[in-house]
Each structure stands twice: as C-alpha cells, then as structure tokens.
Amino acid sequence: MSEILLINVSGPDRPGLTASLTRILARYEVHVLDIGQAVIHNALSLGMLVEIPEAAEPAPVLKDLVFCAHELGVDLNFQPVSSDDYQQWVQHQEKARFIITLLGRQIQAGHIAQITSIISEAGLSIHDITRLSWRMPLQHENRTRRACIELRVHGDPPNRTALRAELMAAATQLGIDIGFQEDSLFRRSRRLVAFDMDSTLIQQEVIDELAAAAGVGEDVAAITARAMRGEIEFKESLAQRLQLLRGLDESTLEAVCQRLVLTEGAERLVQNLKKMGYKIAVISGGFTYFGEYLKRRLGLDFVYANELHIVDGKITGQVVGPVVDGPRKAELLCEIARREGIRMEQVIAVGDGANDLPMLNSAGLGIAFHAKPVVREGAGQAISTLGLDGVLYLMGIPDRETD
C-alpha cells in the first residue's frame, strides 16, 4: 500500500536546493501531490506532500532525503498523513475561495492580527499570503509610501454580507483599506477600466473651479458637496450650478484646464493599464472639454461627459444632449463593454460620488475612491488611504510587475 508523507524543509536558500531534493524523489518514482515554497530574507520554507508508491519502501527515500538536506545545510522534517486526512484535505478544493487585500501606507502586525482573527471567526482558512508591494526600506521617509499584502482564503462563511461589513468596519478603525473579492477567473481577466473624472482622475471638482472664476465659488461648492453626499439628485444639482455659471466667458475653460492636477498615482495606473492592453474610459458628470484634455494627455480610449452649451463665447447655463447622471453612467459603461465584446465581470469602475454608484455596481469590480461614507458602503470595494494606483493591488498586480 502506498504511503503519504508531508515533508517540510527550512533553512537558508540556495540555487539548486529544490532540484536536489526532487531528484531523489524521482529516483524512487514518488508522486508529488502538492508543493509550495516561499523565501523571506533568504530563508526558505518548502513543503511537499508526496505519495511513496507501494513498490518503494519509505525508509530508503527518507534516508536519502535527510542526507541530502544535511549536505545542503537545511532542516528536514516529515510526518505521515492518513488517507482519510488526505481525502478531507482534497475536499477543501470545493469550498469557496476569496481574496482579501490589505492596503495602506503601512501594514502593521496589529492590522494583520485583527483581520486574520475576523477571517478565522468566519470559518475561513488562509492558504497563501503574498506581499504585492515592494520590500519596505528602512529609511523612515520611504516607509510610508504604500504597502499591500494579499491573503488567499477558502471556506464557506455563513454570511458573506456580514463578513464584508465587519472587514469594512475594521478597515475604518485601523486606518487601512481592505478588499474582499471572490477568487474567480474574471478577477484575473479584466479588460476595461472606467473612471469618474472630478475628484477621482483629477484632484479638483472642475465646476467648482469654474465657479471660483465666476465669483460664485461658495454657492456652487455647497451644492456640489450635497450632490456628492447623495442629498440632492444629480440632475437637479447640475442645473442649479450651471445657472450660477451663466455668462462665464469660454476662455475660462482653457485657463482652468491648465490648472488641473492629476490624482496621486493616476498617471502610473493609466500607463500600466495601457501597457497591459486595457481599454480605458472616462465617464463623468463633469464636462467633455476637460475630459477630452485628459484623453489627449493620458492617451485614454473613451470620454463621455456633459457638453456645455456655449453661444457667442459665453456659457448659457445649459448642456447639449442628455445629462450624464448616475443611471446614464451605468448605461454608458455597459454600452462600451458590449461594443468591445467585454463581459461586465471583466470591467472595473472607479468613482467617488453618489452618482457613481450605479456604474460601480454594474462593474465586476467597483471601487469607491476617497469617497463619502454613503459611497464606500454602497460600493463593492474602497480605497481611502492610497493613491489611484492602489487599484493595481485590488487587481492582484504586484509592484514588481509594474513601472
């Protein structure tokens, strides 16, 4: 009868170590049922679950492995695994799998302790932990740039909605961001990313900048804030604000355009998305004039926004065509995906306002970015501690694979 063994190897890493050990296993025609290896600061941890065939005796195999480990300067431990235990372990493959991502300027032991406690209490088991951010330098000024670790877990939580809410509450308490996603094929095959513009792709609210030039900044800013909190319907808020801009000279648009500041991480994110072949869209309740400027500057594929009505070089307080509000944003996102032959599960949407929620919830991955509480609670994921390039971490892309 064959025998199953769990073999653990630990010690200093060196080239050829895994090859030396597996050559011995090959000599005895041992089957490798599972294998995993990690190296942290040149310290190796290698685990192998193997089946020694009935024709081979375990003793000679283990004797050769122990001798080889001694020559390599590593420790080797093994323990038998019963067939019942092995079958139970195999059945874990059928359990749901999730990705939990911790993002922040720093990830500390206390953060990990609290999140992993929540995971454990929900009946989930961690089977892999990976650092996605670069190794942290010791220099203090560089230690707070960005940090991210990704946990792959499996299990069947009794209430996924409650688990997500508990993780989000912990994120707020700890001052970090936590992503909670199902581990699926679509998570690894995104193809389209759509951004809101104002306070997402750029730092400003353009309409507030126009209002400041028109001398009605405080009035417009108050309406904008109410709209972003979801206290007033977007179409109504836009109409009120545009009426306050009546008569503003068209030349003001170019002056405001030159003052636009990209959000932290926006340029890095877009450059990497383009390198990976993603389609990139701006779908905004702002104005096409500024969206087209960003399209030229960043090399975007699509821009959909509100077109200002201008007569004799003056803003009339109206828009041309239908208003791009929340529902229209979702419609436009679906139209782009359908035209490009992309499933909605492969779509990412990022925004900060209440009018972005329909778009965020239509996408396979909807991310509230530095958003108001009502938006963070309504979206699937949220980033509040990092720049826009934190989206790459929620996509599972490590720093080592990006520019």
Side-chain angles (χ1 to χ4, degrees):
M1 183 178 180
S2 63
E3 186 163 345
I4 300 173
L5 293 175
L6 176 61
I7 301 170
N8 290 297
V9 182
S10 60
D13 188 28
R14 58 183 291 181
L17 188 149
T18 304
S20 298
L21 294 170
T22 52
R23 270 198 297 267
I24 294 171
L25 297 177
R27 191 186 310 151
Y28 291 96
E29 298 183 348
V30 170
H31 303 144
V32 178
L33 302 173
D34 195 19
I35 185 169
Q37 178 175 306
V39 178
I40 298 178
H41 195 61
N42 205 40
L44 171 134
S45 177
L46 168 65
M48 293 184 286
L49 190 64
V50 304
E51 181 186 27
I52 300 176
E54 190 173 353
E57 291 291 331
V61 180
L62 296 174
K63 178 182 175 182
D64 288 353
L65 285 173
V66 169
F67 182 76
C68 180
H70 175 74
E71 287 190 320
L72 294 169
V74 295
D75 295 323
L76 184 145
N77 297 290
F78 58 89
Q79 64 184 71
V81 176
S82 71
S83 58
D84 288 343
D85 285 345
Y86 176 75
Q87 289 300 332
Q88 186 176 7
W89 175 78
V90 168
Q91 288 172 6
H92 281 198
Q93 294 179 122
E94 301 173 4
K95 293 183 179 295
R97 293 180 177 269
F98 304 93
I99 303 289
I100 297 176
T101 314
L102 278 63
L103 312 88
R105 298 297 177 178
Q106 288 184 314
I107 301 298
Q108 301 173 351
H111 301 153
I112 299 171
Q114 185 160 336
I115 299 309
T116 51
S117 294
I118 293 172
I119 293 169
S120 176
E121 290 167 5
L124 298 173
S125 298
I126 301 170
H127 64 87
D128 188 41
I129 301 178
T130 306
R131 172 181 47 80
L132 299 184
S133 51
W134 284 117
R135 293 169 179 166
M136 190 69 69
L138 292 177
Q139 292 83 1
H140 180 72
E141 64 271 18
N142 292 326
R143 295 187 70 175
T144 57
R145 188 180 179 195
R146 58 178 181 261
C148 176
I149 62 171
E150 180 182 271
L151 290 74
R152 293 177 178 270
V153 304
H154 62 263
D156 296 311
N159 189 323
R160 296 186 188 185
T161 302
L163 174 57
R164 182 187 296 275
E166 189 173 3
L167 289 170
M168 296 307 106
T172 301
Q173 176 196 342
L174 296 170
I176 61 174
D177 294 314
I178 299 174
F180 178 68
Q181 307 174 58
E182 204 164 338
D183 189 6
S184 69
L185 170 66
F186 295 116
R187 198 245 177 180
R188 298 183 294 276
S189 60
R190 312 290 189 192
R191 293 177 55 197
L192 167 66
V193 183
F195 297 99
D196 175 47
M197 181 170 64
D198 298 35
S199 296
T200 300
L201 200 57
I202 59 173
Q203 293 183 15
Q204 298 99 322
E205 288 285 335
V206 166
I207 199 166
D208 290 350
E209 298 293 316
L210 294 173
V216 291
E218 290 186 4
D219 295 335
V220 168
I223 299 171
T224 300
R226 290 184 62 201
M228 291 300 98
R229 292 193 298 266
E231 297 174 4
I232 181 173
E233 199 269 336
F234 179 80
K235 283 184 179 179
E236 175 61 26
S237 74
L238 182 63
Q240 291 180 18
R241 289 176 290 177
L242 283 175
Q243 284 304 305
L244 292 170
L245 298 180
R246 286 180 64 187
L248 186 65
D249 196 273
E250 183 180 10
S251 63
T252 306
L253 302 182
E254 178 60 25
V256 169
C257 217
Q258 296 307 313
R259 297 199 299 270
L260 296 182
V261 179
L262 293 174
T263 300
E264 176 195 352
E267 199 158 13
R268 176 174 177 261
L269 172 60
V270 171
Q271 286 176 350
N272 279 284
L273 291 174
K274 288 171 62 180
K275 182 179 72 174
M276 292 182 282
Y278 281 76
K279 294 292 185 179
I280 307 171
V282 163
I283 304 179
S284 171
F287 305 115
T288 54
Y289 186 95
F290 305 96
E292 290 295 336
Y293 165 77
L294 291 173
K295 181 180 179 181
R296 294 190 299 272
R297 179 173 175 181
L298 295 174
L300 309 180
D301 297 292
F302 311 102
V303 169
Y304 294 93
N306 296 300
E307 183 180 349
L308 286 167
H309 186 233
I310 298 174
V311 175
D312 297 328
K314 303 290 183 180
I315 292 174
T316 66
Q318 305 292 324
V319 296
V320 179
V323 171
V324 179
D325 59 359
R328 181 60 180 154
K329 283 189 170 190
E331 289 173 9
L332 288 166
L333 183 64
C334 293
E335 284 179 18
I336 296 171
R338 184 166 53 250
R339 192 165 62 243
E340 295 296 319
I342 297 171
R343 293 175 60 111
M344 292 307 295
E345 293 93 337
Q346 297 174 286
V347 175
I348 299 171
V350 187
D352 73 298
N355 65 318
D356 293 313
L357 277 173
M359 177 173 75
L360 301 186
N361 290 326
S362 296
L365 178 62
I367 303 170
F369 180 73
H370 289 261
K372 300 292 188 295
V374 65
V375 185
R376 290 200 305 270
E377 292 167 9
Q381 315 294 330
I383 295 177
S384 300
T385 63
L386 295 181
L388 203 57
D389 51 351
V391 170
L392 293 167
Y393 292 143
L394 291 180
M395 295 167 67
I397 300 171
D399 284 345
R400 65 180 177 273
E401 296 178 4
T402 60
D403 297 328

